[in-house]
mmCIF file of all heavy atoms in Angstrom:
data_model
loop_
_atom_site.group_PDB
_atom_site.id
_atom_site.type_symbol
_atom_site.label_atom_id
_atom_site.label_comp_id
_atom_site.label_asym_id
_atom_site.label_seq_id
_atom_site.Cartn_x
_atom_site.Cartn_y
_atom_site.Cartn_z
ATOM 1 N N PHE G 1 161.285 -11.628 104.314
ATOM 2 C CA PHE G 1 160.109 -11.168 104.981
ATOM 3 C C PHE G 1 159.915 -9.766 104.967
ATOM 4 O O PHE G 1 160.899 -8.971 105.038
ATOM 5 C CB PHE G 1 160.045 -11.651 106.444
ATOM 6 C CG PHE G 1 159.920 -13.147 106.673
ATOM 7 C CD1 PHE G 1 160.965 -13.742 107.408
ATOM 8 C CD2 PHE G 1 158.982 -13.882 106.064
ATOM 9 C CE1 PHE G 1 160.891 -15.088 107.636
ATOM 10 C CE2 PHE G 1 158.850 -15.277 106.256
ATOM 11 C CZ PHE G 1 159.828 -15.903 107.013
ATOM 12 N N LEU G 2 158.740 -9.214 104.650
ATOM 13 C CA LEU G 2 158.666 -7.812 104.707
ATOM 14 C C LEU G 2 157.996 -7.225 105.970
ATOM 15 O O LEU G 2 157.164 -7.742 106.514
ATOM 16 C CB LEU G 2 157.530 -7.323 103.532
ATOM 17 C CG LEU G 2 158.053 -7.557 102.128
ATOM 18 C CD1 LEU G 2 156.849 -7.127 101.125
ATOM 19 C CD2 LEU G 2 159.273 -6.638 101.842
ATOM 20 N N SER G 3 158.676 -6.089 106.538
ATOM 21 C CA SER G 3 158.214 -5.471 107.694
ATOM 22 C C SER G 3 157.528 -4.282 107.397
ATOM 23 O O SER G 3 156.711 -3.613 108.170
ATOM 24 C CB SER G 3 159.403 -5.142 108.662
ATOM 25 O OG SER G 3 160.450 -4.518 108.025
ATOM 26 N N THR G 4 157.889 -3.663 106.219
ATOM 27 C CA THR G 4 157.233 -2.473 105.646
ATOM 28 C C THR G 4 156.983 -2.693 104.190
ATOM 29 O O THR G 4 157.832 -3.345 103.526
ATOM 30 C CB THR G 4 158.031 -1.169 105.829
ATOM 31 O OG1 THR G 4 159.321 -1.315 105.282
ATOM 32 C CG2 THR G 4 158.208 -0.845 107.304
ATOM 33 N N PRO G 5 155.912 -2.116 103.589
ATOM 34 C CA PRO G 5 155.734 -2.388 102.162
ATOM 35 C C PRO G 5 156.542 -1.525 101.260
ATOM 36 O O PRO G 5 156.827 -0.378 101.558
ATOM 37 C CB PRO G 5 154.226 -1.969 102.013
ATOM 38 C CG PRO G 5 153.967 -1.035 103.122
ATOM 39 C CD PRO G 5 154.922 -1.346 104.164
ATOM 40 N N VAL G 6 156.923 -1.949 100.107
ATOM 41 C CA VAL G 6 157.538 -1.247 99.141
ATOM 42 C C VAL G 6 156.567 -0.429 98.429
ATOM 43 O O VAL G 6 156.662 0.761 98.075
ATOM 44 C CB VAL G 6 158.208 -2.143 98.008
ATOM 45 C CG1 VAL G 6 158.673 -1.287 96.745
ATOM 46 C CG2 VAL G 6 159.401 -2.899 98.619
ATOM 47 N N ALA G 7 155.394 -1.074 98.143
ATOM 48 C CA ALA G 7 154.244 -0.322 97.735
ATOM 49 C C ALA G 7 152.975 -1.155 98.086
ATOM 50 O O ALA G 7 153.124 -2.416 98.535
ATOM 51 C CB ALA G 7 154.179 -0.287 96.206
ATOM 52 N N ILE G 8 151.819 -0.560 98.159
ATOM 53 C CA ILE G 8 150.509 -1.277 98.545
ATOM 54 C C ILE G 8 149.612 -1.277 97.394
ATOM 55 O O ILE G 8 149.514 -0.231 96.681
ATOM 56 C CB ILE G 8 149.809 -0.509 99.750
ATOM 57 C CG1 ILE G 8 150.761 -0.605 100.948
ATOM 58 C CG2 ILE G 8 148.557 -1.224 100.087
ATOM 59 C CD1 ILE G 8 150.157 0.182 102.171
ATOM 60 N N LYS G 9 149.008 -2.486 97.052
ATOM 61 C CA LYS G 9 148.289 -2.714 95.933
ATOM 62 C C LYS G 9 146.944 -3.444 96.241
ATOM 63 O O LYS G 9 147.043 -4.371 97.041
ATOM 64 C CB LYS G 9 149.067 -3.277 94.900
ATOM 65 C CG LYS G 9 148.467 -3.320 93.564
ATOM 66 C CD LYS G 9 149.488 -3.790 92.430
ATOM 67 C CE LYS G 9 149.059 -3.544 91.034
ATOM 68 N NZ LYS G 9 150.139 -3.858 90.049
ATOM 69 N N LYS G 10 145.847 -3.056 95.554
ATOM 70 C CA LYS G 10 144.643 -3.840 95.700
ATOM 71 C C LYS G 10 144.863 -5.046 94.662
ATOM 72 O O LYS G 10 145.102 -4.940 93.540
ATOM 73 C CB LYS G 10 143.418 -3.082 95.269
ATOM 74 C CG LYS G 10 142.931 -2.264 96.401
ATOM 75 C CD LYS G 10 141.420 -1.930 96.235
ATOM 76 C CE LYS G 10 140.851 -1.289 97.431
ATOM 77 N NZ LYS G 10 140.868 -2.014 98.650
ATOM 78 N N VAL G 11 144.620 -6.336 95.305
ATOM 79 C CA VAL G 11 144.772 -7.496 94.411
ATOM 80 C C VAL G 11 143.509 -8.286 94.493
ATOM 81 O O VAL G 11 142.675 -8.139 95.345
ATOM 82 C CB VAL G 11 145.926 -8.446 95.125
ATOM 83 C CG1 VAL G 11 147.195 -7.644 94.991
ATOM 84 C CG2 VAL G 11 145.611 -8.853 96.484
ATOM 85 N N GLN G 12 143.363 -9.136 93.473
ATOM 86 C CA GLN G 12 142.082 -9.957 93.259
ATOM 87 C C GLN G 12 142.393 -11.350 93.349
ATOM 88 O O GLN G 12 143.270 -11.938 92.745
ATOM 89 C CB GLN G 12 141.420 -9.570 91.965
ATOM 90 C CG GLN G 12 140.165 -10.234 91.687
ATOM 91 C CD GLN G 12 139.510 -9.920 90.375
ATOM 92 O OE1 GLN G 12 140.078 -8.983 89.686
ATOM 93 N NE2 GLN G 12 138.463 -10.549 90.021
ATOM 94 N N VAL G 13 141.637 -12.108 94.266
ATOM 95 C CA VAL G 13 141.594 -13.527 94.340
ATOM 96 C C VAL G 13 140.196 -13.980 94.046
ATOM 97 O O VAL G 13 139.320 -13.741 94.944
ATOM 98 C CB VAL G 13 142.136 -14.128 95.643
ATOM 99 C CG1 VAL G 13 142.326 -15.525 95.633
ATOM 100 C CG2 VAL G 13 143.366 -13.331 96.090
ATOM 101 N N TRP G 14 139.883 -14.691 92.910
ATOM 102 C CA TRP G 14 138.519 -14.820 92.517
ATOM 103 C C TRP G 14 137.694 -13.571 92.662
ATOM 104 O O TRP G 14 138.013 -12.567 92.106
ATOM 105 C CB TRP G 14 138.030 -16.046 93.328
ATOM 106 C CG TRP G 14 138.817 -17.216 93.165
ATOM 107 C CD1 TRP G 14 139.605 -17.978 94.032
ATOM 108 C CD2 TRP G 14 138.947 -18.020 91.830
ATOM 109 N NE1 TRP G 14 140.101 -19.077 93.463
ATOM 110 C CE2 TRP G 14 139.775 -19.215 92.067
ATOM 111 C CE3 TRP G 14 138.362 -17.829 90.570
ATOM 112 C CZ2 TRP G 14 140.043 -20.097 91.137
ATOM 113 C CZ3 TRP G 14 138.636 -18.758 89.617
ATOM 114 C CH2 TRP G 14 139.521 -19.910 89.863
ATOM 115 N N ASP G 15 136.581 -13.590 93.450
ATOM 116 C CA ASP G 15 135.750 -12.460 93.500
ATOM 117 C C ASP G 15 136.132 -11.521 94.683
ATOM 118 O O ASP G 15 135.498 -10.473 94.872
ATOM 119 C CB ASP G 15 134.332 -12.795 93.774
ATOM 120 C CG ASP G 15 133.847 -13.675 92.580
ATOM 121 O OD1 ASP G 15 134.127 -13.361 91.377
ATOM 122 O OD2 ASP G 15 132.900 -14.501 92.750
ATOM 123 N N ASP G 16 137.198 -11.838 95.481
ATOM 124 C CA ASP G 16 137.697 -11.020 96.562
ATOM 125 C C ASP G 16 138.694 -9.914 96.134
ATOM 126 O O ASP G 16 139.638 -10.372 95.245
ATOM 127 C CB ASP G 16 138.225 -11.956 97.580
ATOM 128 C CG ASP G 16 137.165 -12.890 98.183
ATOM 129 O OD1 ASP G 16 135.985 -12.564 98.145
ATOM 130 O OD2 ASP G 16 137.664 -13.943 98.710
ATOM 131 N N GLU G 17 138.671 -8.742 96.675
ATOM 132 C CA GLU G 17 139.635 -7.831 96.546
ATOM 133 C C GLU G 17 140.190 -7.517 97.983
ATOM 134 O O GLU G 17 139.405 -7.372 98.988
ATOM 135 C CB GLU G 17 139.112 -6.577 96.021
ATOM 136 C CG GLU G 17 139.177 -6.488 94.438
ATOM 137 C CD GLU G 17 138.946 -5.106 93.891
ATOM 138 O OE1 GLU G 17 138.614 -4.250 94.637
ATOM 139 O OE2 GLU G 17 139.244 -5.018 92.671
ATOM 140 N N CYS G 18 141.560 -7.360 98.103
ATOM 141 C CA CYS G 18 142.105 -7.015 99.416
ATOM 142 C C CYS G 18 143.409 -6.357 99.071
ATOM 143 O O CYS G 18 143.998 -6.375 97.983
ATOM 144 C CB CYS G 18 142.254 -8.252 100.277
ATOM 145 S SG CYS G 18 143.343 -9.572 99.601
ATOM 146 N N GLU G 19 144.050 -5.764 100.116
ATOM 147 C CA GLU G 19 145.263 -4.998 100.035
ATOM 148 C C GLU G 19 146.483 -5.871 100.282
ATOM 149 O O GLU G 19 146.396 -6.761 101.168
ATOM 150 C CB GLU G 19 145.347 -3.818 100.976
ATOM 151 C CG GLU G 19 144.444 -2.627 100.430
ATOM 152 C CD GLU G 19 144.766 -1.445 101.329
ATOM 153 O OE1 GLU G 19 145.317 -1.432 102.432
ATOM 154 O OE2 GLU G 19 144.350 -0.289 100.752
ATOM 155 N N ALA G 20 147.570 -5.754 99.500
ATOM 156 C CA ALA G 20 148.714 -6.607 99.706
ATOM 157 C C ALA G 20 150.017 -5.693 99.569
ATOM 158 O O ALA G 20 149.869 -4.625 98.892
ATOM 159 C CB ALA G 20 148.839 -7.680 98.671
ATOM 160 N N TRP G 21 151.073 -6.142 100.051
ATOM 161 C CA TRP G 21 152.333 -5.376 99.892
ATOM 162 C C TRP G 21 153.039 -5.932 98.738
ATOM 163 O O TRP G 21 153.330 -7.144 98.537
ATOM 164 C CB TRP G 21 153.116 -5.496 101.178
ATOM 165 C CG TRP G 21 152.668 -4.918 102.465
ATOM 166 C CD1 TRP G 21 151.425 -4.183 102.389
ATOM 167 C CD2 TRP G 21 153.140 -5.035 103.676
ATOM 168 N NE1 TRP G 21 151.243 -3.712 103.786
ATOM 169 C CE2 TRP G 21 152.277 -4.252 104.570
ATOM 170 C CE3 TRP G 21 154.225 -5.543 104.248
ATOM 171 C CZ2 TRP G 21 152.456 -3.975 105.955
ATOM 172 C CZ3 TRP G 21 154.383 -5.308 105.642
ATOM 173 C CH2 TRP G 21 153.567 -4.679 106.394
ATOM 174 N N VAL G 22 153.558 -5.066 97.912
ATOM 175 C CA VAL G 22 154.283 -5.432 96.649
ATOM 176 C C VAL G 22 155.800 -5.490 96.923
ATOM 177 O O VAL G 22 156.376 -4.572 97.661
ATOM 178 C CB VAL G 22 153.965 -4.396 95.502
ATOM 179 C CG1 VAL G 22 154.591 -4.974 94.242
ATOM 180 C CG2 VAL G 22 152.463 -4.195 95.387
ATOM 181 N N TYR G 23 156.520 -6.440 96.355
ATOM 182 C CA TYR G 23 157.906 -6.534 96.454
ATOM 183 C C TYR G 23 158.586 -5.676 95.412
ATOM 184 O O TYR G 23 157.891 -5.051 94.467
ATOM 185 C CB TYR G 23 158.372 -7.901 96.261
ATOM 186 C CG TYR G 23 158.303 -8.733 97.642
ATOM 187 C CD1 TYR G 23 157.157 -9.343 97.918
ATOM 188 C CD2 TYR G 23 159.394 -8.871 98.361
ATOM 189 C CE1 TYR G 23 157.143 -10.073 99.166
ATOM 190 C CE2 TYR G 23 159.363 -9.583 99.615
ATOM 191 C CZ TYR G 23 158.263 -10.136 99.963
ATOM 192 O OH TYR G 23 158.207 -10.882 101.103
ATOM 193 N N ASP G 24 159.858 -5.441 95.405
ATOM 194 C CA ASP G 24 160.672 -4.554 94.555
ATOM 195 C C ASP G 24 160.851 -5.177 93.283
ATOM 196 O O ASP G 24 160.548 -6.439 92.994
ATOM 197 C CB ASP G 24 161.995 -4.238 95.257
ATOM 198 C CG ASP G 24 162.896 -5.314 95.459
ATOM 199 O OD1 ASP G 24 162.976 -6.140 94.641
ATOM 200 O OD2 ASP G 24 163.605 -5.291 96.572
ATOM 201 N N ASP G 25 161.401 -4.392 92.333
ATOM 202 C CA ASP G 25 161.434 -4.769 90.828
ATOM 203 C C ASP G 25 162.538 -5.990 90.700
ATOM 204 O O ASP G 25 162.396 -6.733 89.833
ATOM 205 C CB ASP G 25 161.940 -3.579 89.985
ATOM 206 C CG ASP G 25 160.734 -2.599 89.822
ATOM 207 O OD1 ASP G 25 159.696 -2.963 90.053
ATOM 208 O OD2 ASP G 25 161.131 -1.451 89.443
ATOM 209 N N VAL G 26 163.615 -6.002 91.619
ATOM 210 C CA VAL G 26 164.508 -7.073 91.482
ATOM 211 C C VAL G 26 163.808 -8.472 91.636
ATOM 212 O O VAL G 26 164.116 -9.390 90.750
ATOM 213 C CB VAL G 26 165.590 -6.993 92.465
ATOM 214 C CG1 VAL G 26 166.520 -8.132 92.493
ATOM 215 C CG2 VAL G 26 166.433 -5.692 92.217
ATOM 216 N N ILE G 27 163.004 -8.583 92.582
ATOM 217 C CA ILE G 27 162.227 -9.892 92.857
ATOM 218 C C ILE G 27 161.146 -10.072 91.742
ATOM 219 O O ILE G 27 161.119 -11.138 91.145
ATOM 220 C CB ILE G 27 161.694 -9.779 94.148
ATOM 221 C CG1 ILE G 27 162.863 -10.059 95.266
ATOM 222 C CG2 ILE G 27 160.667 -11.028 94.260
ATOM 223 C CD1 ILE G 27 162.401 -9.802 96.641
ATOM 224 N N ASN G 28 160.504 -8.968 91.394
ATOM 225 C CA ASN G 28 159.419 -9.060 90.416
ATOM 226 C C ASN G 28 160.060 -9.522 89.083
ATOM 227 O O ASN G 28 159.440 -10.292 88.259
ATOM 228 C CB ASN G 28 158.601 -7.890 90.321
ATOM 229 C CG ASN G 28 157.910 -7.581 91.619
ATOM 230 O OD1 ASN G 28 157.511 -8.444 92.381
ATOM 231 N ND2 ASN G 28 157.558 -6.335 91.805
#
């Protein structure tokens, strides 16, 4: 679980855009 973001990114779900927290490179 994340309590603070590694990074914040705008993400797209269909026509919606919203902010999400990105995980680190190990997980990605």
